[in-house]
Amino acid sequence: MNATSPAATAVARPADLIIAIALALLLGLQPVSTDLYLPALPGIKTELGASMAATQQTMAALLLAFGFGQLVWGPVADRFGRRPVLLVSLSAYLLSSLAAATAADIQALIATRIVQGAAMSGAVVVARAMVRDLYQPSEGMRIMSLGMSGLGLIALSSPLLGGLVTGWFGWRASFVTIALIVLGALLFVALRLPETIRERNPRALQPGPLLQSWGRILRHPTFLGWSGLTAATYGGLFLFLSGSSFVYMQVLGLSATQYGLALCSSSVAYLAGTVVCRRWLVRHGPTGAVRRAALISLAGGLSMTALALAGVQTVWAVLLPQLAYAFGHGTHQPCGQAGVVGPFPQQAGMASALSGFILAATAFFLGQWLGGALDGTTRPLACGVGAASVAVALIGWTAVQRHGLPAEKTA
């Protein structure tokens, strides 16, 4: 299944489609874990008698566990293989989702979200590592983009489904829905997904070699460029996700169903971005694709900031700029997530884990800032997304352009 040529063919082989479906299901756990339950946040706050800060912690706890969990799962996946990690992590995610649906107070819900985050990290780490197991970096970006188109469909349906389920049955039903989705992913992995690692690394968990590998990865300019891009673009998206339910529903007055539709439109833009990404990869290569997408990200972020600072407090002043930002995100993520593991075929799990930790840590601190900055207007959210768009453009136009094209085969 290893690809030896660049992304010259636009037609996926049957084996590629299996991997793309697996990527969509595994990486799709992120929007399922966030977008689907976002409409439930106001209900959680009310029913459990929680403060705004405590309610926001249900998102922050998931993200923090997601970040640290990757540092564990990455070396474990290099040592024991991809399938064992997937089966264990998805099973833990399923059980923790059911536990979340029965949480009696906000502290219990936060605890289950920690387990969810740690379990989700195993699935996401393996998804990125599988791409490097099977493909050279340039082809891996095409397959990652194909998988992320599937992720876009999941992201598209998650907020709408979450809004409908929450509106009909209450916030607990959102976690039951998550559990059913995870069960589907677990069955697909168990029945259809083969082991992808070619050679397990028996020294992956030894402290000395582990620290040496981490140090080498963290010094690699290609890793730093792509991981910086993915962290910056996801940071802006996470700010929007973590603050959008309060801004759209409490500041701008949307219902849970209307809020779900608003998030769906952002997912449509993201899905369109992944489709355009595959075309740009063929025509312009990874760095050319990112260069073009960074301009769109910047336009979206700065226009949202300018409208908010001008006092325009309407749905369209948030929604339209976010569509542009999400479109750019559809190029940055597949290129970045395949790019970070490109130089490391023997340590793909570790490289994936470190990149994921940087991404999660960035989003966590941005989310903590936003939780204290929300002031009943759209300004904090808009300014945060605007700052993230500037970071995306700077990294995409500098570090990615200089170091984003490693040799197809490196140590």
Side-chain angles (χ1 to χ4, degrees), residues 71-91:
L71 297 179
V72 176
W73 288 120
V76 170
D78 286 342
R79 172 63 182 86
F80 296 106
R82 312 309 187 201
R83 272 179 59 86
V85 169
L86 286 177
L87 294 174
V88 171
S89 61
L90 289 172
S91 297

Side-chain angles (χ1 to χ4, degrees), residues 61-74:
L62 174 101
L63 191 62
L64 194 61
F66 174 66
F68 281 104
Q70 292 180 76
L71 297 179
V72 176
W73 288 120

Side-chain angles (χ1 to χ4, degrees), residues 182-327:
V182 175
L183 177 61
L186 177 59
L187 291 174
F188 182 86
V189 168
L191 299 176
R192 298 300 305 274
L193 188 67
E195 178 60 68
T196 61
I197 195 170
R198 292 193 181 89
E199 184 178 351
R200 293 170 176 81
N201 181 1
R203 304 179 65 200
L205 295 175
Q206 297 177 10
L210 178 61
L211 292 175
Q212 290 176 359
S213 295
W214 281 357
R216 186 169 70 86
I217 292 168
L218 288 170
R219 292 192 300 269
H220 200 290
T222 298
F223 173 85
L224 293 175
W226 287 120
S227 63
L229 181 72
T230 58
T233 186
Y234 184 76
L237 179 68
F238 182 79
L239 277 174
F240 177 76
L241 292 176
S242 61
S244 61
S245 62
F246 295 101
V247 167
Y248 273 134
M249 297 172 72
Q250 296 188 351
V251 176
L252 301 176
L254 296 187
S255 67
T257 301
Q258 290 171 330
Y259 169 61
L261 289 171
L263 281 191
C264 280
S265 67
S266 181
S267 298
V268 170
Y270 168 79
L271 179 60
T274 65
V275 174
V276 172
C277 173
R278 291 196 292 280
R279 297 180 181 177
W280 281 350
L281 284 171
V282 174
R283 295 178 183 176
H284 309 294
T287 57
V290 167
R291 185 169 60 250
R292 288 162 175 78
L295 180 62
I296 299 173
S297 300
L298 184 64
L302 291 185
S303 61
M304 187 187 297
T305 302
L307 288 168
L309 293 178
V312 182
Q313 302 285 297
T314 67
V315 171
W316 299 110
V318 176
L319 180 62
L320 293 181
Q322 177 59 23
L323 296 181
Y325 189 90
F327 182 91

Side-chain angles (χ1 to χ4, degrees), residues 303-389:
S303 61
M304 187 187 297
T305 302
L307 288 168
L309 293 178
V312 182
Q313 302 285 297
T314 67
V315 171
W316 299 110
V318 176
L319 180 62
L320 293 181
Q322 177 59 23
L323 296 181
Y325 189 90
F327 182 91
H329 187 71
T331 290
H332 300 314
Q333 277 295 342
C335 290
Q337 293 205 26
V340 294
V341 297
F344 312 104
Q346 303 305 318
Q347 294 91 28
M350 295 183 194
S352 173
L354 286 170
S355 174
F357 175 78
I358 292 169
L359 179 150
T362 300
F364 173 79
F365 287 113
L366 289 175
Q368 291 296 101
W369 166 78
L370 183 65
L374 288 173
D375 61 358
T377 73
T378 63
R379 285 190 294 270
L381 176 64
C383 289
V385 174
S389 73

